[in-house]
Amino acid sequence: MRIPLFHMERTQCLYENGVRWNLSESGVEPLRVEELLGPEMDAAALLSQSLKYPEADGSVLLRERIAAFYPGADAGNVLVTTGCSEANYAALWGLLDERDRIAVMLPNYLQSWGLGAIYAQKADAYRLVPRRRGLAARWALDLASLSRAVGRKTKVVLVTNPNNPTGAVLTEEEMDAIVAAADRVGAWIVSDEVYRGAEISPGPVSPTFFGRYERVVVTGGLSKAFGMPGLRVGWIVAPPKLRDSFCAYLDYTTLTPSMLSDRLARLALEPARREALLARTRSILARNLPELEAWIRGHGPLFDYIPPVAGAIAFLRYRLPIASIALFERLRLEESVLVTPGGHFGAGSYLRIGYGYDPDRTRKGLAAIDRFLRRFDSGNGRSKSKLAPGRTRPVTGRMRARESSRSIGRSRT
Ligand SMILES: Cc1ncc(COP(=O)(O)O)c(C=O)c1O
């Protein structure tokens, strides 16, 4: 079966370990194993762990601890997966068939768009759009596009909340509007909430879709808000019958979580530890974001920026005569800095910059972008470097539209 490329992940896999300045991460500085160990499990207990197969859908204790993050859920709602990626994969594989359509929020992490093209008849976009009120601006749900995207054949309404790449969080009213749209046609809501808990301001974690409507599947994991991408622990939270049906799909993928990951995830999600880990993430975000914002402000009208509400990601609209994928390529080749282009999220002239890692690394990466910008300016859009492979013609509205539609491809009709 031919699949559409998931451009964002493909380029990450190819380049993230080869560049000097990787600003493409969307999480925070990862935890070390020793930071997880404590009274519940010490190093000796970890070393004596037998590497047998663990329980296929995750240990009961881990599933109870995951459920505690979702008011109203219990272990019977939870299935442990290999990362949130596998959770999204199994949920969409399990729910969609070729007569169905999926409504996908854009801009977004485009896994769901690609899976929609594979498993459903068509993916339809609805949008988050920048909206200004006075001096403040936020990414708001575009209700008209939601209403157009959700129709009789829609089986799934896909939400990413908090959103990647914008860092936006839906208001209660916007969540209600999504529930109403899904309910109107009997669709499932699949809500990827892997950034929930990585809110920048102090206060409660963002509300979950779980419990708002009977046909909700939430996906999540330890990669972003919890700072443990390498553990590869994700989950599905769903009504028990549907959850049970998803187990059969994992029989064709990874069978079970890894034993060590299940053990360590249990430690991470012990209630007091869970809160401490989320507090750690928030303190990293609160420490790092002001410096990035000062850098953005220092570029005056070059960037339009709506601050993220959650997540270690800032999504910047730029005013330069170069398409985002060409800009991303040139930054990589000429300055060895990796960012993520708007085109990889179904958006136009944007760059996503991750700021959750070592501030010194971020600073040096931003300085590399500055070097590129100075050369770009003085060269009137043409870099003097021989490496420059990118398009240097001014970007027209039509080119921008072509770029964002090329990145999301065409779904099967
Ligand atoms: C919205 C979203 N969902 C899922 C994933 C994949 O998460 P994991 O690393 O847990 O598989 C990502 C990774 O960037 C993401 O941004």
Side-chain angles (χ1 to χ4, degrees):
M1 178 191 276
R2 274 208 256 132
I3 56 166
L5 273 191
F6 186 178
H7 291 283
M8 193 205 107
E9 286 298 352
R10 200 78 310 274
T11 47
Q12 294 261 117
C13 294
L14 287 173
Y15 306 127
E16 68 184 345
N17 296 311
V19 291
R20 283 185 77 191
W21 315 117
N22 180 10
L23 303 186
S24 71
E25 297 284 358
S26 60
V28 294
E29 192 67 39
L31 229 68
R32 294 189 308 277
V33 174
E34 63 188 354
E35 292 175 87
L36 277 182
L37 300 177
E40 207 177 315
M41 187 184 209
D42 61 13
L46 180 67
L47 291 176
S48 69
Q49 173 65 53
S50 145
L51 293 178
K52 60 186 181 184
Y53 281 113
E55 286 157 83
D57 43 2
S59 62
V60 175
L61 182 57
L62 175 56
R63 290 191 289 118
E64 281 170 357
R65 288 183 171 177
I66 292 168
F69 197 42
Y70 301 91
D74 63 32
N77 295 108
V78 178
L79 172 60
V80 178
T81 59
T82 300
C84 184
S85 307
E86 189 183 42
N88 290 335
Y89 182 69
L92 296 183
W93 187 14
L95 282 171
L96 293 170
D97 81 33
E98 60 196 20
R99 291 177 301 273
D100 299 325
R101 293 167 78 134
I102 175 173
V104 177
M105 174 187 273
L106 291 184
N108 212 332
Y109 182 69
L110 293 180
Q111 182 189 13
S112 51
W113 189 272
L115 290 174
I118 296 166
Y119 289 122
Q121 184 192 93
K122 190 170 188 308
D124 300 293
Y126 67 97
R127 295 194 178 264
L128 293 178
V129 289
R131 208 152 274 160
R132 262 171 215 288
R133 199 178 294 147
L135 284 180
R138 63 178 293 269
W139 286 91
L141 178 65
D142 178 29
L143 293 170
S145 66
L146 178 68
S147 147
R148 278 194 304 274
V150 179
R152 209 168 33 85
K153 291 188 165 178
T154 307
K155 178 77 174 291
V156 169
V157 179
L158 189 289
V159 185
T160 299
N161 189 53
N163 177 258
N164 175 14
T166 61
V169 173
L170 296 168
T171 62
E172 295 277 347
E173 294 73 37
E174 289 170 333
M175 294 175 87
D176 290 345
I178 289 174
V179 168
D183 193 28
R184 176 166 55 79
V185 297
W188 286 87
I189 292 174
V190 175
S191 180
D192 180 335
E193 298 179 2
V194 73
Y195 293 91
R196 177 170 171 256
E199 293 75 17
I200 291 149
S201 303
V205 298
S206 312
T208 171
F209 270 93
F210 189 79
R212 282 180 178 259
Y213 167 60
E214 71 271 24
R215 286 182 289 275
V216 168
V217 176
V218 167
T219 60
L222 294 179
S223 306
K224 310 295 176 185
F226 293 93
M228 285 171 273
L231 212 50
R232 308 306 302 132
V233 168
W235 53 75
I236 289 173
V237 188
K241 250 175 82 186
L242 186 69
R243 179 221 90 113
D244 293 350
S245 74
F246 290 147
C247 295
Y249 291 83
L250 300 195
D251 296 342
Y252 284 103
T253 55
T254 54
L255 298 183
T256 78
S258 108
M259 177 53 103
L260 287 181
S261 295
D262 188 298
R263 287 303 306 265
L264 292 169
R266 268 183 251 169
L267 298 182
L269 290 173
E270 180 277 318
R273 185 65 73 88
R274 181 188 88 192
E275 291 314 302
L277 290 175
L278 294 181
R280 170 189 181 271
T281 297
R282 286 175 174 209
S283 73
I284 293 173
L285 302 181
R287 181 195 67 195
N288 291 6
L289 184 57
E291 190 168 340
L292 175 63
E293 291 189 327
W295 180 84
I296 295 168
R297 277 197 304 277
H299 289 81
L302 175 62
F303 296 123
D304 268 345
Y305 161 68
I306 298 178
V309 179
I313 40 182
F315 201 45
L316 314 184
R317 177 153 184 267
Y318 61 83
R319 292 192 180 83
L320 285 176
I322 181 169
S324 71
I325 291 171
L327 178 56
F328 142 84
E329 281 291 355
R330 287 184 54 176
L331 285 167
R332 180 176 73 77
L333 291 166
E334 296 174 27
E335 292 294 339
S336 198
V337 58
L338 196 67
V339 294
T340 321
H344 286 179
F345 298 105
S349 298
Y350 285 85
L351 291 181
R352 192 194 72 179
I353 295 183
Y355 65 89
Y357 276 57
D358 174 20
D360 190 50
R361 181 178 99 178
T362 309
R363 207 171 294 133
K364 288 179 172 144
L366 296 177
I369 296 178
D370 281 337
R371 279 195 296 280
F372 172 86
L373 290 174
R374 280 195 294 276
R375 224 174 30 250
F376 190 87
D377 265 357
S378 64
N380 194 20
R382 274 167 223 285
S383 167
K384 290 165 189 152
S385 159
K386 291 208 169 63
L387 284 170
R391 183 196 293 143
T392 52
R393 281 184 285 142
V395 177
T396 62
R398 196 186 298 161
M399 281 160 68
R400 214 172 276 125
R402 217 185 304 134
E403 180 186 46
S404 58
S405 68
R406 192 181 310 129
S407 70
I408 57 180
R410 286 173 63 87
S411 56
R412 193 145 45 87
T413 51

